[in-house]
Amino acid sequence: MLQNENAPALIQIRDLAKEFDPQSKNTVEALRDINLDIEEGKFTVLIGPSGCGKSTLLYLLAGFEKPTRGSLLLDGKPVEKPGPDRGFVFQDYALFPWRTVLGNITFGLRSNGWSKADADAKAREYIAMVKLNGFENAFPHTLSGGMKQRVAIARALAYNPRVLLMDEPFGALDSQTRKHMQQELQRILMQTNKTVVFVTHSVIEAVFLADRIVVLTARPGMVKGIIDVNLPRPREYTDDSYLDIREAVLSLLSEEVEKELEMDGM
Amino acid sequence: MLKRKAALAAIPIVIFLLGWEALSRGSLLNPYLFPPPTTILMELGNLFMKGMPAQSALLMHVGMTLWRVLLSVVLGIVAGVIVGVAMGLNRAVYSFFDPLITVLMPIPGIALAPLFIVWMGFGNQTIVSLGVLSAFFPVVYTTVAGVRSVDPQLVRAAQMMGSRPIGVVLNVYLPWAATYVFNGVKLGLARCWMTIIAVEFVAASNWGMGYMIWNAAENLRADVVYGGILLLIVIYFILEKALINRLESRTIARWGMIRQA
Ligand SMILES: Nc1ncnc2c1ncn2[C@@H]1O[C@H](COP(=O)(O)OP(=O)(O)OP(=O)(O)O)[C@@H](O)[C@H]1O
Ligand SMILES: [Mg+2]
């Protein structure tokens, strides 16, 4: 990868804070003082205890929510609203039930001025990439969870966004399918070289996929620590070279999970 | 299974008709007030042949009513969906229209007929306007509910992919609301049908099933009245099956948004 050491990171997060209902007495401070650089072509995983603000951070990057303080720059420009320079993969797929697999995947292309023929051809490339050949005309409700998430990934990649944002995309899948999807995602990303920000609860998933793992504290979410995972790809589940990385992530995380349990009075 | 159900449902109807036929033929029922069903059918046949081959009187009546109903339902749906979407998306629009609709909706279409006759005279304008109004209200209500219940993740997904606001309305809010709108359309069709037949009693000139029935009653032709009512049942049944059920099975049922009956 051509990574100029001096070039600013693709995503720059500066002194970011997010509070929900800041005026009322039910204010929830979700994120505090987040400073983070996300580099082009890198797979960044956000991990942290439940309710620490992982989704919130991703929603801020997506432009679904606005920061209370601080700034979020993508390619030097502030993130203000959702737009096709980013792709989003939701935990519960968020496929359009009224569109076929092909229709879902062409949506982003058609919304950005592609002709129907070109969009169809491009979508078919991505259908092949996620191995859904033969399901072009199927409606989402006829697909399994794993297949739906493949469609969602293809849909988010097809219009070639700069960044792919993924919020626990495999959280609703059984463990067998989940493992398989992690390997598939690795394979797809080795082909596309996409910048990814990925939220998960699973340390194993984090270490398997990440170039860099950002551990957040219990609410309000702050950056607790950053762990780089410099392991060659493709990675295999049989690799035990990353057991010590798992240990490192777990020890950071477990402190925070305990804090969170205390907060909940458990 | 379905065939058997239909057969079972037919039994009481057949017994009822046979009983009626026998009582009427045996003059236990006054045959002028309760003409036997076979006579009614024959009279419908006569009406069908009347004016043939140029134009069948019966078909003219039926065709005119159908045309009025379809035009009213289509206009009512279009207006209802447009107003409903605007109300569902925008608080101010909602606050403006909601009280008006609450007040106007309970008025039966036929109760407004005298007023509309004063405004627009006898004939199609009055009939269709009242038909549109009766189809409009249920569609507005269900469309608002549908738009408001949209899954926000789907809206976000569309915005993320670069869809513009009008695209989000057409590609997300409307198809999402379809399940709701169809319920409104069913109610709207029923209301519209009743209103149009009733208004035809008073405001139609020469053609329409309502006119046919009213006119027959004035001429003391009970057989034609019964024939007209029979036709109302059959035609409405076909309208609902042919239009709405087919539309449903091609859209929301195919999308997995409802289970098909
Ligand atoms: N729209 C909202 N209004 C008010 N509070 C919110 C809103 N969204 C999130 N929060 C709160 O902000 C905090 C962070 O939520 P968030 O969903 O980002 O956590 P998370 O880390 O993704 O949790 P999980 O791992 O359970 O998905 C939580 O306390 C949550 O209740
Ligand atoms: Mg979350």
Side-chain angles (χ1 to χ4, degrees):
Chain A
M1 219 167 312
L2 296 170
Q3 189 74 48
N4 182 344
E5 282 300 318
N6 300 319
L10 180 63
I11 296 174
Q12 296 172 289
I13 302 172
R14 294 287 173 270
D15 303 322
L16 183 74
K18 176 67 184 176
E19 285 149 28
F20 290 101
D21 307 313
Q23 311 306 344
S24 84
K25 60 176 194 289
N26 306 328
T27 301
V28 177
E29 187 182 12
L31 295 170
R32 182 193 286 177
D33 293 335
I34 304 277
N35 283 286
L36 197 61
D37 278 350
I38 289 167
E39 262 142 44
E40 180 136 39
K42 287 279 158 63
F43 196 114
T44 303
V45 167
L46 304 176
I47 195 167
S50 187
C52 76
K54 303 180 293 292
S55 298
T56 304
L57 184 50
L58 216 56
Y59 277 29
L60 289 165
L61 286 169
F64 300 150
E65 299 277 359
K66 296 221 180 332
T68 310
R69 281 181 300 279
S71 66
L72 269 163
L73 301 180
L74 170 61
D75 223 1
K77 289 183 287 287
V79 170
E80 271 156 3
K81 53 181 201 289
D85 50 352
R86 286 147 292 153
F88 204 103
V89 178
F90 298 86
Q91 178 171 351
D92 47 7
Y93 326 117
L95 298 175
F96 302 126
W98 45 85
R99 287 179 161 248
T100 61
V101 168
L102 189 70
N104 267 280
I105 300 176
T106 53
F107 187 88
L109 298 162
R110 299 284 284 144
S111 301
N112 288 287
W114 286 51
S115 74
K116 183 162 169 24
D118 290 349
D120 280 0
K122 180 56 85 182
R124 283 177 202 283
E125 281 175 31
Y126 280 87
I127 286 172
M129 182 190 268
V130 298
K131 299 187 180 154
L132 280 176
N133 309 64
F135 290 93
E136 289 81 357
N137 297 317
F139 283 94
H141 73 105
T142 64
L143 305 178
S144 72
M147 291 161 87
K148 283 183 198 165
Q149 203 53 294
R150 286 165 191 267
V151 178
I153 291 169
R155 182 176 73 168
L157 287 171
Y159 58 94
N160 197 23
R162 298 287 305 269
V163 187
L164 191 59
L165 308 170
M166 307 179 85
D167 191 4
E168 299 197 46
F170 308 144
L173 305 178
D174 63 86
S175 62
Q176 214 47 45
T177 313
R178 183 169 188 161
K179 238 178 181 173
H180 183 62
M181 288 299 292
Q182 290 163 1
Q183 283 158 336
E184 289 290 286
L185 182 63
Q186 170 174 255
R187 175 181 64 76
I188 291 163
L189 292 174
M190 284 175 69
Q191 289 175 44
T192 57
N193 235 328
K194 199 59 70 184
T195 310
V196 182
V197 185
F198 186 104
V199 167
T200 183
H201 268 114
S202 156
V203 176
I204 298 175
E205 184 167 85
V207 177
F208 181 76
L209 289 169
D211 294 311
R212 166 173 269 195
I213 299 174
V214 178
V215 182
L216 297 178
T217 64
R219 198 179 64 232
M222 295 178 282
V223 178
K224 166 101 177 175
I226 292 178
I227 294 169
D228 286 306
V229 186
N230 294 311
L231 296 172
R233 292 179 196 275
R235 296 174 188 167
E236 296 292 335
Y237 258 101
T238 49
D239 278 1
D240 45 25
S241 49
Y242 40 63
L243 282 179
D244 42 342
I245 301 179
R246 276 190 206 166
E247 281 306 318
V249 177
L250 263 176
S251 73
L252 282 178
L253 199 57
S254 56
E255 286 174 37
E256 292 308 316
V257 172
E258 269 158 35
K259 259 197 252 166
E260 198 231 345
L261 292 180
E262 278 164 29
M263 273 194 331
D264 291 354
M266 289 171 84
Chain B
M1 229 3 245
L2 238 103
K3 286 234 169 74
R4 221 177 119 215
K5 244 183 168 172
L8 279 175
I11 291 175
I13 299 174
V14 170
I15 292 177
F16 176 75
L17 289 175
L18 285 176
W20 181 349
E21 181 85 27
L23 291 175
S24 177
R25 294 225 177 264
S27 291
L28 289 165
L29 282 173
N30 180 338
Y32 286 102
L33 299 182
F34 301 97
T38 45
T39 311
I40 295 169
L41 282 180
M42 255 151 56
E43 194 46 45
L44 275 181
N46 289 342
L47 263 176
F48 177 75
M49 294 312 293
K50 189 174 156 195
M52 286 289 247
Q55 49 174 222
S56 145
L58 188 64
L59 285 186
M60 281 293 287
H61 286 305
V62 171
M64 185 56 92
T65 296
L66 272 183
W67 180 78
R68 286 167 180 154
V69 168
L70 290 179
L71 183 65
S72 305
V73 166
V74 168
L75 291 177
I77 292 173
V78 170
V81 167
I82 290 174
V83 175
V85 167
M87 285 173 71
L89 291 175
N90 187 300
R91 276 234 133 255
V93 177
Y94 181 85
S95 314
F96 182 82
F97 279 103
D98 186 54
L100 289 177
I101 291 176
T102 309
V103 171
L104 294 176
M105 176 139 132
I107 306 174
I110 185 70
L112 292 173
L115 197 59
F116 275 60
I117 291 170
V118 172
W119 289 343
M120 302 187 233
F122 294 88
N124 278 331
Q125 269 191 11
T126 291
I127 300 170
V128 173
S129 302
L130 288 166
V132 172
L133 263 188
S134 14
F136 171 79
F137 289 115
V139 176
V140 170
Y141 257 112
T142 51
T143 305
V144 173
V147 165
R148 288 188 157 188
S149 75
V150 76
D151 179 354
Q153 302 294 54
L154 296 186
V155 174
R156 287 170 163 163
Q159 290 171 336
M160 201 72 196
M161 288 187 268
S163 186
R164 278 183 300 204
I166 183 78
V168 177
V169 170
L170 295 178
N171 291 303
V172 181
Y173 283 99
L174 270 187
W176 178 274
T179 319
Y180 296 77
V181 175
F182 278 135
N183 284 328
V185 169
K186 278 185 214 169
L187 281 172
L189 178 66
R191 271 180 60 131
C192 177
W193 176 251
M194 291 186 251
T195 300
I196 287 201
I197 301 298
V199 178
E200 280 179 349
F201 286 164
V202 294
S205 32
N206 302 328
W207 302 109
M209 295 174 66
Y211 173 83
M212 180 183 100
I213 291 168
W214 191 262
N215 196 45
E218 288 196 321
N219 295 317
L220 301 178
R221 291 290 306 273
D223 50 353
V224 178
V225 174
Y226 286 113
I229 292 170
L230 176 67
L231 268 182
L232 291 184
I233 297 170
V234 172
I235 290 172
Y236 186 76
F237 188 78
I238 294 171
L239 267 183
E240 210 183 55
K241 289 271 175 266
L243 284 178
I244 310 222
N245 292 9
R246 179 170 305 193
L247 212 59
E248 269 185 359
S249 66
R250 289 198 179 171
T251 54
I252 50 182
R254 207 161 152 233
W255 305 336
M257 294 173 77
I258 53 157
R259 255 176 283 152
Q260 209 157 9

